[in-house]
């Protein structure tokens, strides 16, 4: 295993956690993690040695997820809305992951742009600068999405 | 006059985003102002709650397991020819190919071998699937998804794919695409299995592949030549 694969495999567990925050669905999260790993390996020539591999890989995952959401929206226009996620939720509860499931449902109620900011900073622990780099937005934009997202989450969790 | 301390500032303080002087100023304000203290506590507790629920995910290893019982094309061929099978390859050994399957290996249910393996008379594929294999690049979304393209030891081009009812590996013969490995796309329990998310398939590929999988440029070149060797 070379240096790149080494670095990529060490970030995979965190990528998979980020995928849970983004997709709010364990099956989607695992699929997204795999596709991100594949994409990163194919695109490894685009990664510059010495730059932040984590931010690069997070960005690949986030962009893949945007594509997935778009294509699902196109598909759902021509098909009946799928009952996706329902069974998975039940399975997650059965596995004693009720709390994780509950928090993913709370994240679901945020706008996409707030959810990804919250996932990167509050769950993944990235600095504001790193998160802004992943999302390719100015630091001020990141901060305002992050704060609005957290305010909304706090309201959701307090049952308002 | 320093800026007033608002929720944004309190959150930035909790996130360690402030310089030492400003952090001290916020800390002081939180210590003396009950409203700010309550705000800080709300956000601190929320972050801790997410950390507790999501943290374990990042502790789950995403590494290949090597214990899966697999259908190995090499073993099948060896059995046919009466030779002892070569030892199973370790997942990491073929380099990129193995790494590209890492996530799938961990995520997929291990230890099952419900695929149809290559027993000599390879199966022809439905026209729609053949068309997808002819035209689609890896990673494109669609009814058929191609995960990976590679050259087999005999020089033929092969591609792993997932379609609605079937996932597997097909290789391009002079007569068209021929199925070399297949498994039902729906895994037991009804969960949909994505391309590459099958340890038996990974093993089949590992036994067939010569060198590394094709990169995007290699795929385009192969496609331009109709995937002929």
């Amino acid at each position: 295993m070379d240096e790149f694969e080494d670095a990529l495999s060490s970030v995979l567990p965190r990528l998979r956690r980020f995928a849970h925050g983004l997709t709010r669905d364990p099956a989607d999260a695992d699929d997204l993690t795999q596709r991100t790993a594949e994409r990163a390996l194919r695109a490894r020539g685009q990664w510059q040695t010495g730059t932040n591999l984590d931010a690069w890989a997070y960005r690949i995952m986030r962009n893949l997820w945007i594509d997935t959401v778009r294509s699902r929206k196109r598909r759902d226009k021509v098909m009946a809305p799928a009952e996706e996620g329902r069974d998975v939720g039940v399975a997650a509860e059965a596995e004693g992951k009720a709390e994780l499931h509950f928090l993913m449902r709370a994240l679901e109620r945020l706008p996409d742009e707030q959810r990804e900011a919250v996932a990167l900073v509050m769950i993944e622990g990235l600095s504001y600068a790193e998160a802004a780099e992943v999302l390719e937005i100015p630091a001020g934009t990141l901060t305002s999405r992050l704060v609005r997202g957290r305010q909304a989450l706090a309201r959701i969790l307090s049952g308002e | 006059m320093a800026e007033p301390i608002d929720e944004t500032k309190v959150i930035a303080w909790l996130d360690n985003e402030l310089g030492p002087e400003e952090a001290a100023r916020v800390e002081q304000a939180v210590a003396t102002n009950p409203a700010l203290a309550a705000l800080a506590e709300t956000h601190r507790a929320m972050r801790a709650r997410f950390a507790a629920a999501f943290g374990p995910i990042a502790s789950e290893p995403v590494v290949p397991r090597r214990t899966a019982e697999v259908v190995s094309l090499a073993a099948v061929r060896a059995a046919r020819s009466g030779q002892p099978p070569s030892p199973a390859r370790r997942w990491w050994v073929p380099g990129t190919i193995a790494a590209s399957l890492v996530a799938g290996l961990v995520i997929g249910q291990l230890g099952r071998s419900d695929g149809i393996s290559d027993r000599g008379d390879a199966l022809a594929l439905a026209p729609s699937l053949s068309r997808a294999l002819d035209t689609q690049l890896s990673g494109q979304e669609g009814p058929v998804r191609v995960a990976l393209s590679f050259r087999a030891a005999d020089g033929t081009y092969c591609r792993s794919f997932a379609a609605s009812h079937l996932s597997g590996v097909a290789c391009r013969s002079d007569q068209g695409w021929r199925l070399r490995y297949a498994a039902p796309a729906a895994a037991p329990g009804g969960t949909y299995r994505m391309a590459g998310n099958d340890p038996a398939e990974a093993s089949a590929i590992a036994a067939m592949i010569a060198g590394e999988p094709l990169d995007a440029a290699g795929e385009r070149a192969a496609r331009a030549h109709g995937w002929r060797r």
Side-chain angles (χ1 to χ4, degrees):
Chain A
M1 187 164 35
D2 64 22
E3 197 186 334
F4 178 86
E5 289 178 12
D6 215 9
L8 183 63
S9 64
S10 75
V11 74
L12 277 179
R14 277 173 291 139
L15 280 174
R16 187 162 161 263
R17 179 176 59 188
F18 180 45
H20 278 77
L22 275 184
T23 66
R24 297 93 61 208
D25 181 288
D28 278 344
D30 285 344
D31 176 45
L32 181 63
T33 306
Q34 178 178 348
R35 287 192 292 133
T36 303
E38 290 171 357
R39 176 70 62 92
L41 284 160
R42 273 202 302 274
R44 61 184 291 170
Q46 291 161 23
W47 177 67
Q48 293 175 333
T49 313
T51 62
N52 189 341
L53 180 87
D54 292 17
W56 181 75
Y58 275 119
R59 187 157 59 232
I60 290 175
M61 171 168 279
R62 184 258 182 171
N63 290 338
L64 275 175
W65 180 241
I66 288 176
D67 291 346
T68 305
V69 170
R70 279 195 194 124
S71 71
R72 284 186 186 173
K73 281 182 180 155
R74 278 198 299 275
R75 185 195 62 191
D76 288 348
K77 276 184 187 163
V78 291
M79 293 167 68
E83 285 288 302
E84 277 176 318
R86 303 285 177 264
D87 296 342
V88 175
V90 172
E93 304 258 17
E95 284 168 24
K97 290 183 174 170
E99 167 75 352
L100 177 63
H101 177 64
F102 177 78
L103 293 179
M104 290 197 293
R105 293 287 79 78
L107 281 172
E108 194 145 270
R109 294 170 60 182
L110 299 184
D112 293 347
E113 58 180 36
Q114 291 178 19
R115 184 186 315 114
E116 59 192 15
V118 168
L120 284 172
V121 174
M122 195 178 75
I123 303 177
E124 295 309 307
L126 266 60
S127 71
Y128 290 11
E130 287 169 331
E133 185 194 337
V134 170
L135 300 175
E136 297 173 293
I137 55 175
T141 310
L142 183 270
T143 308
S144 74
R145 290 179 184 176
L146 180 65
V147 170
R148 277 183 285 132
R150 270 149 108 157
Q151 289 170 330
L153 262 188
R155 280 195 297 275
I156 292 165
L157 294 179
S158 70
E160 282 176 36
Chain B
M1 184 67 195
E3 310 169 55
I5 292 167
D6 58 7
E7 192 165 3
T8 299
K9 199 66 96 182
V10 170
I11 289 173
W13 172 62
L14 292 172
D15 288 338
N16 283 321
E17 288 283 334
L18 301 180
E21 276 178 35
E22 214 173 6
R25 197 167 70 87
V26 175
E27 191 174 353
Q28 172 74 16
V30 166
T32 54
N33 180 330
L36 285 181
L39 205 52
E41 182 47 35
T42 296
H43 286 292
R44 199 200 311 271
M46 186 165 73
R47 191 178 59 181
R49 189 172 175 185
F50 274 84
F54 281 80
I57 297 171
S59 308
E60 291 166 18
V62 185
V63 293
R65 295 189 221 172
R66 303 187 175 94
T67 53
E69 218 181 298
V70 293
V71 175
S72 156
L73 293 182
V76 170
R77 286 205 196 87
R80 274 210 305 265
S81 63
Q83 291 161 355
S86 56
R89 293 198 205 184
R90 288 155 53 101
W91 292 116
W92 282 113
V93 172
T96 310
I97 159 91
S100 73
L101 296 165
V102 166
L105 288 172
V106 173
I107 291 157
Q109 298 91 352
L110 295 164
R112 289 182 298 97
S113 53
D114 52 6
I116 306 154
S117 71
D118 173 5
R119 297 264 178 196
D121 43 349
L123 303 162
L125 294 175
S128 58
L129 190 47
S130 292
R131 239 185 341 268
L133 292 172
D134 273 329
T135 55
Q136 264 182 223
L137 294 173
S138 295
Q140 285 179 350
E141 295 283 348
V144 176
R145 228 168 65 192
V146 181
L148 181 83
S149 307
F150 61 93
R151 288 191 92 150
D154 62 1
T156 55
Y157 285 102
C158 303
R159 312 193 76 195
S160 73
F161 64 90
S164 55
H165 301 297
L166 183 76
S167 70
V169 180
C171 298
R172 185 71 160 78
S173 75
D174 294 336
Q175 288 79 42
W177 291 101
R178 291 290 181 269
L179 202 55
R180 297 288 296 273
Y181 172 83
T191 54
Y192 181 57
R193 186 164 54 207
M194 306 315 287
N197 200 358
D198 174 359
E201 181 182 290
S203 174
I205 293 171
M208 292 162 75
I209 192 167
E212 301 283 323
L214 302 183
D215 59 16
E219 268 197 342
R220 284 198 196 86
R223 182 174 67 175
H225 285 94
W227 304 96
R228 290 170 211 285
R229 57 181 137 164

